[in-house]
Amino acid sequence: MQKNLPDYALTSAQWKLAEHLVPVLEIFNELTNLFSKSDVPLIFEVIPMLEHLEHALDQIYNAKDEPPVIRIAAQAALQVVGKYYALTDDNEVYRIAIIMCPDKKLEWFKKNLDWHESDRMEAKRIVQQRWDESYGTLPSLIPSTTTRHVPLKRSSSKWAIYSDNEDQDVTSVHPDSMDAYLNTPCMSRTEIQAAGGVLQYWENARATRPRLAQMALDFLSAPGIFLACRLSKFDIDHLASSVDAERAFSGGRLQVNHLQHGVSSQTFRAQMAVGSWYKTPLMNDLGAVTSIMRTKMEKGKGKASGKGNGNNIVIDSE
């Protein structure tokens, strides 16, 4: 048996190919490690990551000093990345999430040459439409800011054309509006990090810009997409799925064993939801869940009519 082992050893040509392959695999290793964490990524991180991956693969494909097999694999990977990248155009969430990042806004589309001016204008139209339909109509307790133009000094010439209405121009800008947000300069990444991250930044902004904060948190808190690619000598395999969904399917079978026949679908769903929300911005602790369970138990005891009745806890979708 051991006499046949040398047949499986890598040849010198294969070792040389592996040396070229390792730096390529590091690209996917970094993204896989990032996207496999429970607290990241969020939706606004997807497009920048796809941009980074696409540019890296394009450089590998155009590198003349790389072995042909690796360049072909990079080309195949580019086609798959492009396929999933194109699907982001079918959903407004991705572009709105980018714009609602105070350090990106519409400037991000200008800095990335892959996005044309028409793409930037379309992104602006999408975010403005979503604001007008879902958030701009919400009540806001923040007063508008009124800006009055400084009156022009009248000329002593009798031929000077001057309207008395020119110094009456008044511009009303509501600080809790999409126009005000888009017209202010982008913040630096350092400022965002100092605020505790983009989600904490908008959480802090609830007091001054409640409508903008609500819209930003609705879109920025959405989970991202996990893109894992595995390169090999002969082919390239691709997987695109949600990390949270994969964890849910993997852990779901552990929630109910073969002895639990009376667990309702609502209770099972509640268990899975609480498990996925725990220690995230949606649920920092179990205080709210404990309160709901205590209330259910008290109601059940109040309705008890006999021994052993009213002690079942049912967690519904309320």
Side-chain angles (χ1 to χ4, degrees):
M1 184 66 180
Q2 295 181 352
K3 295 181 180 180
N4 297 328
L5 291 180
D7 296 336
Y8 297 95
L10 295 179
T11 64
S12 58
Q14 290 172 333
W15 276 113
K16 183 176 294 186
L17 180 62
E19 293 176 355
H20 287 269
L21 186 60
V22 169
V24 177
L25 292 177
E26 289 179 353
I27 301 172
F28 302 102
N29 183 55
E30 293 175 0
L31 294 179
T32 300
N33 291 337
L34 174 64
F35 281 76
S36 296
K37 296 179 181 178
S38 60
D39 54 340
V40 289
L42 296 176
I43 198 72
F44 63 90
E45 297 177 286
V46 171
I47 290 183
M49 286 298 174
L50 287 176
E51 286 271 350
H52 171 75
L53 181 60
E54 189 175 48
H55 292 165
L57 290 172
D58 186 66
Q59 291 179 355
I60 296 171
Y61 170 66
N62 291 298
K64 304 299 182 181
D65 56 339
E66 291 292 338
V69 65
I70 292 182
R71 295 178 61 195
I72 293 173
Q75 183 184 27
L78 275 171
Q79 294 177 351
V80 176
V81 172
K83 170 187 174 182
Y84 288 111
Y85 205 165
L87 292 177
T88 62
D89 294 337
D90 298 335
N91 196 312
E92 65 177 13
V93 176
Y94 295 92
R95 281 167 287 185
I96 292 178
I98 288 289
I99 296 174
M100 296 311 295
C101 289
D103 59 331
K104 294 183 174 67
K105 298 188 178 181
L106 290 171
E107 294 299 319
W108 186 87
F109 297 95
K110 287 184 179 180
K111 295 178 181 179
N112 290 272
L113 301 180
D114 294 339
W115 296 79
H116 302 97
E117 179 63 18
S118 58
D119 299 324
R120 189 181 71 87
M121 296 306 297
E122 176 63 12
K124 182 178 181 180
R125 184 196 67 80
I126 289 174
V127 72
Q128 187 66 55
Q129 180 179 355
R130 175 52 53 207
W131 168 264
D132 294 338
E133 293 179 356
S134 305
Y135 299 91
T137 57
L138 298 176
S140 181
L141 302 178
I142 310 302
S144 301
T145 301
T146 301
T147 303
R148 183 180 297 275
H149 294 287
V150 177
L152 297 176
K153 183 178 180 180
R154 290 182 179 276
S155 174
S156 59
S157 173
K158 66 178 182 178
W159 303 111
I161 300 176
Y162 183 83
S163 173
D164 291 337
N165 294 327
E166 288 183 14
D167 61 349
Q168 301 298 321
D169 291 342
V170 175
T171 303
S172 179
V173 179
H174 201 294
D176 190 19
S177 66
M178 184 57 64
D179 288 336
Y181 172 71
L182 294 179
N183 289 331
T184 55
C186 292
M187 300 181 64
S188 66
R189 186 172 300 179
T190 303
E191 292 177 299
I192 299 298
Q193 293 175 347
V198 64
L199 293 181
Q200 188 59 49
Y201 167 84
W202 281 114
E203 187 64 35
N204 298 338
R206 283 186 181 274
T208 56
R209 293 177 292 174
R211 296 184 300 179
L212 281 170
Q214 186 61 57
M215 179 176 178
L217 291 171
D218 286 346
F219 283 90
L220 294 176
S221 60
I225 299 297
F226 173 63
L227 178 64
C229 302
R230 178 171 58 85
L231 283 160
S232 66
K233 178 181 178 181
F234 302 103
D235 61 3
I236 179 168
D237 298 328
H238 311 274
L239 173 66
S241 59
S242 168
V243 174
D244 291 337
E246 288 185 352
R247 286 198 181 96
F249 279 109
S250 299
R253 62 185 180 87
L254 303 176
Q255 295 293 327
V256 182
N257 59 45
H258 66 283
L259 298 178
Q260 294 175 297
H261 304 291
V263 177
S264 67
S265 60
Q266 290 182 335
T267 300
F268 175 75
R269 183 171 58 184
Q271 288 177 336
M272 296 301 299
V274 171
S276 63
W277 295 341
Y278 184 48
K279 291 185 178 180
T280 70
L282 294 175
M283 184 182 295
N284 294 323
D285 55 57
L286 296 176
V289 177
T290 304
S291 177
I292 293 174
M293 295 180 65
R294 185 179 294 111
T295 302
K296 292 287 185 181
M297 293 176 65
E298 291 175 354
K299 288 182 178 179
K301 290 180 179 179
K303 295 179 180 179
S305 59
K307 183 178 180 181
N309 294 329
N311 292 326
N312 295 328
I313 302 174
V314 180
I315 301 177
D316 54 27
S317 58
E318 296 179 355

